[in-house]
PDB file of all heavy atoms in Angstrom:
ATOM      1  N   GLU A  23     -20.641   9.262 -25.373  1.00 86.00           N
ATOM      2  CA  GLU A  23     -20.120   7.937 -25.086  1.00 86.00           C
ATOM      3  C   GLU A  23     -19.372   7.900 -23.783  1.00 86.00           C
ATOM      4  O   GLU A  23     -19.588   6.939 -22.977  1.00 86.00           O
ATOM      5  CB  GLU A  23     -19.127   7.568 -26.207  1.00 86.00           C
ATOM      6  CG  GLU A  23     -18.483   6.226 -26.012  1.00 86.00           C
ATOM      7  CD  GLU A  23     -17.377   5.928 -27.091  1.00 86.00           C
ATOM      8  OE1 GLU A  23     -17.615   6.281 -28.255  1.00 86.00           O
ATOM      9  OE2 GLU A  23     -16.342   5.356 -26.710  1.00 86.00           O
ATOM     10  N   LEU A  24     -18.675   8.944 -23.423  1.00 84.00           N
ATOM     11  CA  LEU A  24     -17.957   8.962 -22.093  1.00 84.00           C
ATOM     12  C   LEU A  24     -19.003   9.036 -20.982  1.00 84.00           C
ATOM     13  O   LEU A  24     -18.848   8.402 -19.916  1.00 84.00           O
ATOM     14  CB  LEU A  24     -17.066  10.181 -22.084  1.00 84.00           C
ATOM     15  CG  LEU A  24     -15.788  10.088 -22.930  1.00 84.00           C
ATOM     16  CD1 LEU A  24     -15.035  11.369 -22.866  1.00 84.00           C
ATOM     17  CD2 LEU A  24     -14.962   8.881 -22.604  1.00 84.00           C
ATOM     18  N   ARG A  25     -20.041   9.821 -21.185  1.00 83.00           N
ATOM     19  CA  ARG A  25     -21.108   9.892 -20.127  1.00 83.00           C
ATOM     20  C   ARG A  25     -21.780   8.528 -19.944  1.00 83.00           C
ATOM     21  O   ARG A  25     -21.959   8.116 -18.736  1.00 83.00           O
ATOM     22  CB  ARG A  25     -22.205  10.902 -20.563  1.00 83.00           C
ATOM     23  CG  ARG A  25     -23.258  11.156 -19.486  1.00 83.00           C
ATOM     24  CD  ARG A  25     -24.317  12.085 -19.993  1.00 83.00           C
ATOM     25  NE  ARG A  25     -25.076  11.475 -21.039  1.00 83.00           N
ATOM     26  CZ  ARG A  25     -25.422  12.141 -22.143  1.00 83.00           C
ATOM     27  NH1 ARG A  25     -25.118  13.355 -22.340  1.00 83.00           N
ATOM     28  NH2 ARG A  25     -26.118  11.469 -23.090  1.00 83.00           N
ATOM     29  N   GLU A  26     -21.989   7.805 -20.950  1.00 86.00           N
ATOM     30  CA  GLU A  26     -22.552   6.459 -20.825  1.00 86.00           C
ATOM     31  C   GLU A  26     -21.581   5.545 -20.175  1.00 86.00           C
ATOM     32  O   GLU A  26     -21.915   4.624 -19.424  1.00 86.00           O
ATOM     33  CB  GLU A  26     -22.990   5.945 -22.182  1.00 86.00           C
ATOM     34  CG  GLU A  26     -24.148   6.655 -22.786  1.00 86.00           C
ATOM     35  CD  GLU A  26     -24.365   6.432 -24.256  1.00 86.00           C
ATOM     36  OE1 GLU A  26     -23.760   5.455 -24.829  1.00 86.00           O
ATOM     37  OE2 GLU A  26     -25.196   7.130 -24.899  1.00 86.00           O
ATOM     38  N   ARG A  27     -20.280   5.764 -20.462  1.00 85.00           N
ATOM     39  CA  ARG A  27     -19.243   4.913 -19.927  1.00 85.00           C
ATOM     40  C   ARG A  27     -19.147   5.117 -18.390  1.00 85.00           C
ATOM     41  O   ARG A  27     -18.942   4.136 -17.603  1.00 85.00           O
ATOM     42  CB  ARG A  27     -17.881   5.275 -20.521  1.00 85.00           C
ATOM     43  CG  ARG A  27     -16.718   4.426 -20.162  1.00 85.00           C
ATOM     44  CD  ARG A  27     -15.510   4.810 -21.045  1.00 85.00           C
ATOM     45  NE  ARG A  27     -14.375   4.010 -20.772  1.00 85.00           N
ATOM     46  CZ  ARG A  27     -14.129   2.828 -21.325  1.00 85.00           C
ATOM     47  NH1 ARG A  27     -14.959   2.319 -22.156  1.00 85.00           N
ATOM     48  NH2 ARG A  27     -13.057   2.143 -21.018  1.00 85.00           N
ATOM     49  N   LEU A  28     -19.397   6.339 -17.970  1.00 84.00           N
ATOM     50  CA  LEU A  28     -19.457   6.624 -16.510  1.00 84.00           C
ATOM     51  C   LEU A  28     -20.508   5.801 -15.836  1.00 84.00           C
ATOM     52  O   LEU A  28     -20.313   5.164 -14.814  1.00 84.00           O
ATOM     53  CB  LEU A  28     -19.626   8.134 -16.287  1.00 84.00           C
ATOM     54  CG  LEU A  28     -19.907   8.512 -14.794  1.00 84.00           C
ATOM     55  CD1 LEU A  28     -18.661   8.221 -13.974  1.00 84.00           C
ATOM     56  CD2 LEU A  28     -20.156  10.014 -14.740  1.00 84.00           C
ATOM     57  N   VAL A  29     -21.720   5.772 -16.399  1.00 85.00           N
ATOM     58  CA  VAL A  29     -22.803   5.008 -15.877  1.00 85.00           C
ATOM     59  C   VAL A  29     -22.462   3.536 -15.821  1.00 85.00           C
ATOM     60  O   VAL A  29     -22.736   2.803 -14.878  1.00 85.00           O
ATOM     61  CB  VAL A  29     -24.110   5.306 -16.668  1.00 85.00           C
ATOM     62  CG1 VAL A  29     -25.232   4.369 -16.192  1.00 85.00           C
ATOM     63  CG2 VAL A  29     -24.517   6.789 -16.570  1.00 85.00           C
ATOM     64  N   GLU A  30     -21.833   3.075 -16.857  1.00 88.00           N
ATOM     65  CA  GLU A  30     -21.454   1.684 -17.030  1.00 88.00           C
ATOM     66  C   GLU A  30     -20.397   1.277 -16.055  1.00 88.00           C
ATOM     67  O   GLU A  30     -20.471   0.247 -15.365  1.00 88.00           O
ATOM     68  CB  GLU A  30     -20.884   1.490 -18.472  1.00 88.00           C
ATOM     69  CG  GLU A  30     -21.167   0.178 -19.110  1.00 88.00           C
ATOM     70  CD  GLU A  30     -20.625   0.259 -20.538  1.00 88.00           C
ATOM     71  OE1 GLU A  30     -19.416   0.018 -20.703  1.00 88.00           O
ATOM     72  OE2 GLU A  30     -21.382   0.606 -21.481  1.00 88.00           O
ATOM     73  N   ARG A  31     -19.337   2.074 -15.960  1.00 85.00           N
ATOM     74  CA  ARG A  31     -18.113   1.705 -15.156  1.00 85.00           C
ATOM     75  C   ARG A  31     -18.258   2.081 -13.704  1.00 85.00           C
ATOM     76  O   ARG A  31     -17.640   1.445 -12.831  1.00 85.00           O
ATOM     77  CB  ARG A  31     -16.885   2.456 -15.717  1.00 85.00           C
ATOM     78  CG  ARG A  31     -16.487   2.062 -17.075  1.00 85.00           C
ATOM     79  CD  ARG A  31     -15.901   0.700 -17.044  1.00 85.00           C
ATOM     80  NE  ARG A  31     -15.589   0.262 -18.437  1.00 85.00           N
ATOM     81  CZ  ARG A  31     -14.350   0.063 -18.830  1.00 85.00           C
ATOM     82  NH1 ARG A  31     -13.325   0.191 -18.067  1.00 85.00           N
ATOM     83  NH2 ARG A  31     -14.162  -0.413 -20.033  1.00 85.00           N
ATOM     84  N   SER A  32     -19.069   3.073 -13.368  1.00 85.00           N
ATOM     85  CA  SER A  32     -19.219   3.512 -11.969  1.00 85.00           C
ATOM     86  C   SER A  32     -20.645   3.899 -11.707  1.00 85.00           C
ATOM     87  O   SER A  32     -20.933   5.079 -11.498  1.00 85.00           O
ATOM     88  CB  SER A  32     -18.266   4.638 -11.683  1.00 85.00           C
ATOM     89  OG  SER A  32     -18.248   4.950 -10.302  1.00 85.00           O
ATOM     90  N   PRO A  33     -21.522   2.944 -11.602  1.00 87.00           N
ATOM     91  CA  PRO A  33     -22.934   3.280 -11.485  1.00 87.00           C
ATOM     92  C   PRO A  33     -23.210   4.033 -10.140  1.00 87.00           C
ATOM     93  O   PRO A  33     -24.111   4.867 -10.086  1.00 87.00           O
ATOM     94  CB  PRO A  33     -23.667   1.934 -11.521  1.00 87.00           C
ATOM     95  CG  PRO A  33     -22.619   0.887 -11.412  1.00 87.00           C
ATOM     96  CD  PRO A  33     -21.338   1.514 -11.810  1.00 87.00           C
ATOM     97  N   GLU A  34     -22.440   3.704  -9.084  1.00 89.00           N
ATOM     98  CA  GLU A  34     -22.653   4.363  -7.781  1.00 89.00           C
ATOM     99  C   GLU A  34     -22.362   5.870  -7.968  1.00 89.00           C
ATOM    100  O   GLU A  34     -23.110   6.663  -7.434  1.00 89.00           O
ATOM    101  CB  GLU A  34     -21.754   3.786  -6.689  1.00 89.00           C
ATOM    102  CG  GLU A  34     -21.926   2.280  -6.458  1.00 89.00           C
ATOM    103  CD  GLU A  34     -21.144   1.427  -7.417  1.00 89.00           C
ATOM    104  OE1 GLU A  34     -20.146   1.902  -8.054  1.00 89.00           O
ATOM    105  OE2 GLU A  34     -21.487   0.250  -7.622  1.00 89.00           O
ATOM    106  N   LEU A  35     -21.249   6.201  -8.549  1.00 84.00           N
ATOM    107  CA  LEU A  35     -20.878   7.576  -8.771  1.00 84.00           C
ATOM    108  C   LEU A  35     -21.938   8.229  -9.664  1.00 84.00           C
ATOM    109  O   LEU A  35     -22.375   9.362  -9.419  1.00 84.00           O
ATOM    110  CB  LEU A  35     -19.469   7.726  -9.383  1.00 84.00           C
ATOM    111  CG  LEU A  35     -19.026   9.077  -9.745  1.00 84.00           C
ATOM    112  CD1 LEU A  35     -18.969  10.036  -8.488  1.00 84.00           C
ATOM    113  CD2 LEU A  35     -17.661   9.040 -10.406  1.00 84.00           C
ATOM    114  N   ALA A  36     -22.279   7.600 -10.742  1.00 84.00           N
ATOM    115  CA  ALA A  36     -23.268   8.154 -11.702  1.00 84.00           C
ATOM    116  C   ALA A  36     -24.594   8.463 -11.023  1.00 84.00           C
ATOM    117  O   ALA A  36     -25.186   9.463 -11.357  1.00 84.00           O
ATOM    118  CB  ALA A  36     -23.445   7.161 -12.868  1.00 84.00           C
ATOM    119  N   ARG A  37     -25.027   7.649 -10.048  1.00 89.00           N
ATOM    120  CA  ARG A  37     -26.312   7.863  -9.409  1.00 89.00           C
ATOM    121  C   ARG A  37     -26.256   9.176  -8.515  1.00 89.00           C
ATOM    122  O   ARG A  37     -27.293   9.715  -8.234  1.00 89.00           O
ATOM    123  CB  ARG A  37     -26.674   6.672  -8.494  1.00 89.00           C
ATOM    124  CG  ARG A  37     -27.347   5.592  -9.237  1.00 89.00           C
ATOM    125  CD  ARG A  37     -27.995   4.594  -8.305  1.00 89.00           C
ATOM    126  NE  ARG A  37     -27.046   3.852  -7.530  1.00 89.00           N
ATOM    127  CZ  ARG A  37     -26.430   2.669  -7.945  1.00 89.00           C
ATOM    128  NH1 ARG A  37     -26.695   2.169  -9.079  1.00 89.00           N
ATOM    129  NH2 ARG A  37     -25.600   2.075  -7.116  1.00 89.00           N
ATOM    130  N   THR A  38     -25.039   9.598  -8.179  1.00 91.00           N
ATOM    131  CA  THR A  38     -24.969  10.842  -7.380  1.00 91.00           C
ATOM    132  C   THR A  38     -25.076  12.087  -8.235  1.00 91.00           C
ATOM    133  O   THR A  38     -25.151  13.176  -7.657  1.00 91.00           O
ATOM    134  CB  THR A  38     -23.631  10.908  -6.606  1.00 91.00           C
ATOM    135  OG1 THR A  38     -22.548  11.066  -7.547  1.00 91.00           O
ATOM    136  CG2 THR A  38     -23.457   9.677  -5.679  1.00 91.00           C
ATOM    137  N   LEU A  39     -25.140  11.939  -9.566  1.00 87.00           N
ATOM    138  CA  LEU A  39     -25.115  13.067 -10.460  1.00 87.00           C
ATOM    139  C   LEU A  39     -26.383  12.984 -11.332  1.00 87.00           C
ATOM    140  O   LEU A  39     -26.744  11.888 -11.785  1.00 87.00           O
ATOM    141  CB  LEU A  39     -23.894  13.036 -11.354  1.00 87.00           C
ATOM    142  CG  LEU A  39     -22.533  13.021 -10.680  1.00 87.00           C
ATOM    143  CD1 LEU A  39     -21.462  12.782 -11.707  1.00 87.00           C
ATOM    144  CD2 LEU A  39     -22.301  14.387  -9.954  1.00 87.00           C
ATOM    145  N   ASP A  40     -26.960  14.108 -11.623  1.00 90.00           N
ATOM    146  CA  ASP A  40     -28.087  14.129 -12.634  1.00 90.00           C
ATOM    147  C   ASP A  40     -27.446  14.073 -14.006  1.00 90.00           C
ATOM    148  O   ASP A  40     -26.211  14.220 -14.127  1.00 90.00           O
ATOM    149  CB  ASP A  40     -28.975  15.333 -12.416  1.00 90.00           C
ATOM    150  CG  ASP A  40     -28.317  16.677 -12.615  1.00 90.00           C
ATOM    151  OD1 ASP A  40     -27.263  16.748 -13.266  1.00 90.00           O
ATOM    152  OD2 ASP A  40     -28.873  17.673 -12.072  1.00 90.00           O
TER     153      ASP A  40
END
Side-chain angles (χ1 to χ4, degrees):
E23 178 185 320
L24 292 175
R25 185 183 65 225
E26 292 166 11
R27 188 174 181 85
L28 173 62
V29 173
E30 215 175 84
R31 296 287 176 115
S32 187
E34 303 84 20
L35 175 61
R37 277 194 293 274
T38 67
L39 304 169
D40 62 22

